[in-house]
Amino acid sequence: MSEQKRPEPKRLFIETYGCQMNVYDSERMRDVLTPLGYAIADKPDDADLVILNTCHIREKATEKVYSEIGRLRAHKERRASEGKGMTITIAGCVAQAEGEEIIRRAPEVDLVVGPQAYHKLPELIARAARKTGERLAADFTAQEKFDALPARAPDGVTAFLSIQEGCDKFCTFCVVPYTRGAEYSRPLADVVAEARALAEGGVREITLLGQNVNAYHGQSRGGSASFAELLDALAQIDGVERLRYTTSHPIEMTDELIGLHGSEPKLMPYLHLPVQSGSDRILKAMNRRHDAAFYRDIVSRLRALRPDIALSTDFIVGFPGEREREFEDTLQLVHEIGFASAYSFKYSARPGTPAAAMMGQVSEEAKAERLARLHALLSDQQRAFNASQIERVLPILVTGDGRMPGQKHGRTPYSQSVHFQDTQTENGEIVPVRILAASQNSLTGARLELAPEAA
Ligand code: 5AD
Ligand code: SF4
């Protein structure tokens, strides 16, 4: 019998830019493609299929995509000279927003696929390989996608679960309502079933995802379930020990949801609640539909119910019309609230959004100078927050091995990384750890209650 040579597995490389929704979507793309025989490659050079899962939220993110396409072109040409192919696929929000332009500008791109078409990837890639000329797939609905994607294979103890997509808020700086479309919430029963499957597969911490996650209003037996009702249902699932959600909008922080932060121990005391600016005039021009006092009030109500809650937020500096005194209102708000972590960005004009056409665009220099001042203050606060954990004993969800031999890695209730000496604990256990030292981005600690031989 002649020896049969096994076919080499095809190699898939996915590069993810931008938000956690994209991280989740990349996992789902991997899940639909691996059954077709793709093995994951850790660099694009020798991949048969490369997917760039792109972000359109700021100009820089878009530019990166075009420069990465340029780099891929060289790999594709080299592989072609070796008689091998490389299918280049652009996914995500740049694909949705600029699909036709990518097709025109980048002939080496084989396929452009919008965020609602990922369930069709196997077919689309096969068509692209046959050079049928169909290179753009951007018109599907969110529901179609969620219904068609396979249940996720959990690969650890923490997982993202996408429950909502799109946005109807139309903040004047933001492209999301144009790229991800109208708000869509998955039915309650589907989310609960997926969470149950994750828990059965060993997942202990679930982060619910959505562009406007707390605007969730999914279909349920009683009509429509609110976000707080969904959290409540998920908290009942055995095995789910920790719940988080991102990213939320202040005006969707209902009394019910704020109340749940006080009463539901599985809801972690860490909330990402973007404020964008501390100036009422700028918040109005941003169409945020709340003022700074409204934000302060939510924070004080949350803190009254859950005194250990830590906050994270997003800021934009140099929004059109922002003067020094308005920027100082932002600094003032940061001083008053005290954030455990935050993302801050220079305003970036996105074509087609109302703010791009506003008078009073702020100079690059002023934006850079304000960003540096805000950054400095926020990193001081982050360092102080981490340092405030020293000597506390925190419940740590163990997620894997640590940096050094004999160490484990885990997460605090505030999502900070912790490394500690321990060889006995299994991934997925929640164990008490005394925090001993803190740096800007992680903590080290000592496990309590270890069996005597390991202590
Ligand atoms: N310019 C700068 N930052 C932006 N963001 C959204 N759109 C823009 C823009 N045009 C920021 C906001 C948002 C985060 C995801 O990205 O702070 O909360
Ligand atoms: Fe963009 Fe505003 Fe919607 Fe957030 S709420 S996705 S910032 S439009």
Short mmCIF file of all heavy atoms in Angstrom, two decimals, residues 142-177:
data_model
loop_
_atom_site.label_atom_id
_atom_site.label_comp_id
_atom_site.label_asym_id
_atom_site.label_seq_id
_atom_site.Cartn_x
_atom_site.Cartn_y
_atom_site.Cartn_z
N ALA A 142 -27.96 41.73 12.13
CA ALA A 142 -27.31 41.18 13.32
C ALA A 142 -27.97 39.87 13.72
O ALA A 142 -27.32 38.92 14.11
CB ALA A 142 -27.37 42.19 14.45
N GLN A 143 -29.31 39.83 13.60
CA GLN A 143 -30.01 38.62 14.04
C GLN A 143 -29.58 37.41 13.24
O GLN A 143 -29.29 36.35 13.80
CB GLN A 143 -31.52 38.82 13.91
CG GLN A 143 -32.27 37.54 14.23
CD GLN A 143 -33.68 37.80 14.68
OE1 GLN A 143 -34.25 38.84 14.42
NE2 GLN A 143 -34.24 36.83 15.36
N GLU A 144 -29.50 37.60 11.89
CA GLU A 144 -29.07 36.50 11.02
C GLU A 144 -27.73 35.96 11.48
O GLU A 144 -27.51 34.77 11.57
CB GLU A 144 -28.85 37.06 9.61
CG GLU A 144 -29.79 36.56 8.56
CD GLU A 144 -29.43 37.19 7.22
OE1 GLU A 144 -29.86 38.32 6.95
OE2 GLU A 144 -28.68 36.55 6.47
N LYS A 145 -26.82 36.88 11.82
CA LYS A 145 -25.49 36.46 12.22
C LYS A 145 -25.53 35.64 13.51
O LYS A 145 -25.00 34.55 13.57
CB LYS A 145 -24.58 37.68 12.42
CG LYS A 145 -23.25 37.30 13.03
CD LYS A 145 -22.30 38.45 13.15
CE LYS A 145 -22.50 39.23 14.42
NZ LYS A 145 -21.38 40.12 14.70
N PHE A 146 -26.19 36.19 14.53
CA PHE A 146 -26.22 35.49 15.82
C PHE A 146 -26.88 34.12 15.69
O PHE A 146 -26.46 33.15 16.30
CB PHE A 146 -26.93 36.31 16.88
CG PHE A 146 -26.10 37.42 17.43
CD1 PHE A 146 -26.53 38.73 17.39
CD2 PHE A 146 -24.86 37.15 18.00
CE1 PHE A 146 -25.76 39.76 17.91
CE2 PHE A 146 -24.08 38.17 18.52
CZ PHE A 146 -24.53 39.47 18.48
N ASP A 147 -27.96 34.05 14.87
CA ASP A 147 -28.66 32.78 14.73
C ASP A 147 -27.78 31.74 14.06
O ASP A 147 -27.88 30.56 14.34
CB ASP A 147 -29.93 32.96 13.88
CG ASP A 147 -31.01 33.69 14.66
OD1 ASP A 147 -30.81 33.87 15.89
OD2 ASP A 147 -32.02 34.08 14.07
N ALA A 148 -26.91 32.18 13.16
CA ALA A 148 -26.17 31.22 12.34
C ALA A 148 -24.82 30.82 12.92
O ALA A 148 -24.29 29.78 12.57
CB ALA A 148 -25.98 31.79 10.95
N LEU A 149 -24.24 31.64 13.80
CA LEU A 149 -22.91 31.30 14.30
C LEU A 149 -22.99 30.14 15.28
O LEU A 149 -23.94 30.05 16.06
CB LEU A 149 -22.27 32.52 14.98
CG LEU A 149 -21.67 33.54 14.02
CD1 LEU A 149 -21.23 34.79 14.77
CD2 LEU A 149 -20.49 32.96 13.25
N PRO A 150 -21.99 29.25 15.27
CA PRO A 150 -22.04 28.12 16.19
C PRO A 150 -21.86 28.57 17.63
O PRO A 150 -21.28 29.63 17.87
CB PRO A 150 -20.83 27.27 15.76
CG PRO A 150 -19.90 28.23 15.10
CD PRO A 150 -20.75 29.29 14.48
N ALA A 151 -22.35 27.75 18.58
CA ALA A 151 -22.11 28.06 19.99
C ALA A 151 -20.61 28.09 20.21
O ALA A 151 -19.88 27.30 19.62
CB ALA A 151 -22.75 27.00 20.87
N ARG A 152 -20.13 29.00 21.02
CA ARG A 152 -18.69 29.17 21.15
C ARG A 152 -18.05 28.04 21.93
O ARG A 152 -18.60 27.56 22.90
CB ARG A 152 -18.40 30.48 21.87
CG ARG A 152 -18.84 31.65 21.09
CD ARG A 152 -18.35 32.87 21.76
NE ARG A 152 -16.93 32.72 22.03
CZ ARG A 152 -16.37 33.09 23.16
NH1 ARG A 152 -17.07 33.58 24.12
NH2 ARG A 152 -15.08 32.95 23.31
N ALA A 153 -16.87 27.66 21.48
CA ALA A 153 -16.09 26.70 22.25
C ALA A 153 -15.35 27.48 23.32
O ALA A 153 -14.48 28.28 23.00
CB ALA A 153 -15.10 26.02 21.33
N PRO A 154 -15.70 27.29 24.60
CA PRO A 154 -14.99 28.05 25.61
C PRO A 154 -13.54 27.59 25.72
O PRO A 154 -13.26 26.40 25.60
CB PRO A 154 -15.75 27.75 26.91
CG PRO A 154 -16.56 26.56 26.62
CD PRO A 154 -16.72 26.43 25.15
N ASP A 155 -12.62 28.49 25.87
CA ASP A 155 -11.23 28.07 25.92
C ASP A 155 -10.54 28.55 27.18
O ASP A 155 -9.35 28.68 27.23
CB ASP A 155 -10.48 28.54 24.68
CG ASP A 155 -10.64 30.03 24.48
OD1 ASP A 155 -11.19 30.70 25.38
OD2 ASP A 155 -10.21 30.54 23.43
N GLY A 156 -11.32 28.83 28.23
CA GLY A 156 -10.68 29.26 29.44
C GLY A 156 -11.70 29.45 30.53
O GLY A 156 -12.77 28.85 30.49
N VAL A 157 -11.38 30.27 31.49
CA VAL A 157 -12.32 30.48 32.59
C VAL A 157 -13.02 31.83 32.50
O VAL A 157 -13.94 32.11 33.24
CB VAL A 157 -11.62 30.33 33.96
CG1 VAL A 157 -11.14 28.91 34.14
CG2 VAL A 157 -10.49 31.30 34.14
N THR A 158 -12.55 32.68 31.58
CA THR A 158 -13.26 33.94 31.36
C THR A 158 -13.68 33.99 29.90
O THR A 158 -12.98 33.46 29.03
CB THR A 158 -12.36 35.17 31.64
OG1 THR A 158 -11.30 35.17 30.70
CG2 THR A 158 -11.78 35.13 33.04
N ALA A 159 -14.82 34.58 29.62
CA ALA A 159 -15.29 34.66 28.24
C ALA A 159 -16.09 35.93 28.02
O ALA A 159 -16.70 36.46 28.95
CB ALA A 159 -16.15 33.45 27.91
N PHE A 160 -16.06 36.38 26.79
CA PHE A 160 -16.95 37.46 26.37
C PHE A 160 -18.24 36.85 25.83
O PHE A 160 -18.21 35.76 25.25
CB PHE A 160 -16.32 38.27 25.24
CG PHE A 160 -15.12 39.06 25.66
CD1 PHE A 160 -13.92 38.92 24.99
CD2 PHE A 160 -15.20 39.97 26.71
CE1 PHE A 160 -12.81 39.66 25.36
CE2 PHE A 160 -14.09 40.72 27.08
CZ PHE A 160 -12.90 40.57 26.41
N LEU A 161 -19.33 37.56 26.01
CA LEU A 161 -20.60 37.11 25.44
C LEU A 161 -21.29 38.35 24.86
O LEU A 161 -21.62 39.28 25.60
CB LEU A 161 -21.45 36.46 26.53
CG LEU A 161 -22.55 35.50 26.14
CD1 LEU A 161 -23.15 34.86 27.38
CD2 LEU A 161 -23.62 36.11 25.31
N SER A 162 -21.45 38.34 23.56
CA SER A 162 -22.03 39.51 22.90
C SER A 162 -23.55 39.44 23.00
O SER A 162 -24.15 38.45 22.60
CB SER A 162 -21.56 39.51 21.45
OG SER A 162 -22.05 40.64 20.81
N ILE A 163 -24.17 40.47 23.54
CA ILE A 163 -25.63 40.42 23.76
C ILE A 163 -26.37 41.49 22.95
O ILE A 163 -27.58 41.47 22.85
CB ILE A 163 -25.99 40.61 25.25
CG1 ILE A 163 -25.60 42.00 25.76
CG2 ILE A 163 -25.34 39.52 26.10
CD1 ILE A 163 -26.30 42.37 27.05
N GLN A 164 -25.61 42.42 22.42
CA GLN A 164 -26.25 43.58 21.80
C GLN A 164 -25.27 44.15 20.81
O GLN A 164 -24.06 44.08 21.03
CB GLN A 164 -26.55 44.56 22.96
CG GLN A 164 -27.22 45.85 22.66
CD GLN A 164 -26.26 46.93 22.18
OE1 GLN A 164 -25.09 46.93 22.51
NE2 GLN A 164 -26.76 47.83 21.37
N GLU A 165 -25.79 44.69 19.72
CA GLU A 165 -24.89 45.34 18.74
C GLU A 165 -25.55 46.60 18.24
O GLU A 165 -26.77 46.73 18.26
CB GLU A 165 -24.67 44.42 17.54
CG GLU A 165 -23.60 43.41 17.79
CD GLU A 165 -22.95 42.90 16.50
OE1 GLU A 165 -23.23 43.44 15.40
OE2 GLU A 165 -22.18 41.98 16.61
N GLY A 166 -24.73 47.50 17.77
CA GLY A 166 -25.25 48.72 17.14
C GLY A 166 -25.60 49.78 18.16
O GLY A 166 -25.53 49.55 19.37
N CYS A 167 -25.97 50.94 17.65
CA CYS A 167 -26.22 52.05 18.55
C CYS A 167 -27.17 53.05 17.92
O CYS A 167 -27.03 53.37 16.73
CB CYS A 167 -24.90 52.72 18.88
SG CYS A 167 -25.13 54.10 19.99
N ASP A 168 -28.15 53.52 18.72
CA ASP A 168 -29.09 54.54 18.24
C ASP A 168 -28.84 55.88 18.90
O ASP A 168 -29.70 56.76 18.85
CB ASP A 168 -30.54 54.11 18.57
CG ASP A 168 -30.96 52.87 17.81
OD1 ASP A 168 -30.35 52.58 16.77
OD2 ASP A 168 -31.90 52.18 18.26
N LYS A 169 -27.70 56.06 19.57
CA LYS A 169 -27.51 57.29 20.34
C LYS A 169 -27.00 58.46 19.50
O LYS A 169 -27.23 59.60 19.84
CB LYS A 169 -26.50 57.04 21.49
CG LYS A 169 -26.92 55.98 22.49
CD LYS A 169 -27.86 56.54 23.52
CE LYS A 169 -28.16 55.58 24.64
NZ LYS A 169 -28.65 54.25 24.25
N PHE A 170 -26.25 58.19 18.48
CA PHE A 170 -25.75 59.24 17.59
C PHE A 170 -25.00 60.35 18.31
O PHE A 170 -25.31 61.53 18.15
CB PHE A 170 -26.88 59.82 16.72
CG PHE A 170 -27.37 58.85 15.69
CD1 PHE A 170 -28.45 58.01 15.96
CD2 PHE A 170 -26.73 58.72 14.47
CE1 PHE A 170 -28.89 57.07 15.03
CE2 PHE A 170 -27.16 57.79 13.52
CZ PHE A 170 -28.25 56.97 13.80
N CYS A 171 -24.03 59.99 19.12
CA CYS A 171 -23.10 60.99 19.64
C CYS A 171 -22.45 61.62 18.40
O CYS A 171 -22.13 60.89 17.45
CB CYS A 171 -22.03 60.34 20.51
SG CYS A 171 -22.76 59.52 21.94
N THR A 172 -22.25 62.94 18.41
CA THR A 172 -21.91 63.60 17.15
C THR A 172 -20.50 63.28 16.65
O THR A 172 -20.17 63.58 15.51
CB THR A 172 -22.07 65.13 17.29
OG1 THR A 172 -21.29 65.55 18.43
CG2 THR A 172 -23.51 65.53 17.47
N PHE A 173 -19.66 62.69 17.51
CA PHE A 173 -18.28 62.37 17.08
C PHE A 173 -18.15 60.95 16.55
O PHE A 173 -17.11 60.57 16.03
CB PHE A 173 -17.30 62.53 18.26
CG PHE A 173 -17.72 61.78 19.50
CD1 PHE A 173 -17.50 60.42 19.63
CD2 PHE A 173 -18.38 62.45 20.54
CE1 PHE A 173 -17.91 59.72 20.75
CE2 PHE A 173 -18.80 61.76 21.67
CZ PHE A 173 -18.57 60.38 21.77
N CYS A 174 -19.19 60.12 16.69
CA CYS A 174 -18.99 58.67 16.63
C CYS A 174 -19.52 58.02 15.34
O CYS A 174 -20.63 58.33 14.89
CB CYS A 174 -19.68 58.03 17.83
SG CYS A 174 -19.38 56.27 17.95
N VAL A 175 -18.76 57.10 14.80
CA VAL A 175 -19.16 56.40 13.57
C VAL A 175 -19.99 55.14 13.83
O VAL A 175 -20.56 54.59 12.89
CB VAL A 175 -17.94 55.94 12.72
CG1 VAL A 175 -17.29 57.09 12.02
CG2 VAL A 175 -16.96 55.14 13.53
N VAL A 176 -20.03 54.70 15.08
CA VAL A 176 -20.66 53.40 15.35
C VAL A 176 -22.10 53.29 14.82
O VAL A 176 -22.45 52.28 14.19
CB VAL A 176 -20.57 53.04 16.85
CG1 VAL A 176 -21.48 51.87 17.21
CG2 VAL A 176 -19.13 52.71 17.22
N PRO A 177 -22.96 54.31 15.02
CA PRO A 177 -24.33 54.16 14.50
C PRO A 177 -24.36 53.98 12.97
O PRO A 177 -25.31 53.43 12.43
CB PRO A 177 -25.01 55.48 14.89
CG PRO A 177 -24.22 55.96 16.07
CD PRO A 177 -22.80 55.55 15.78
#
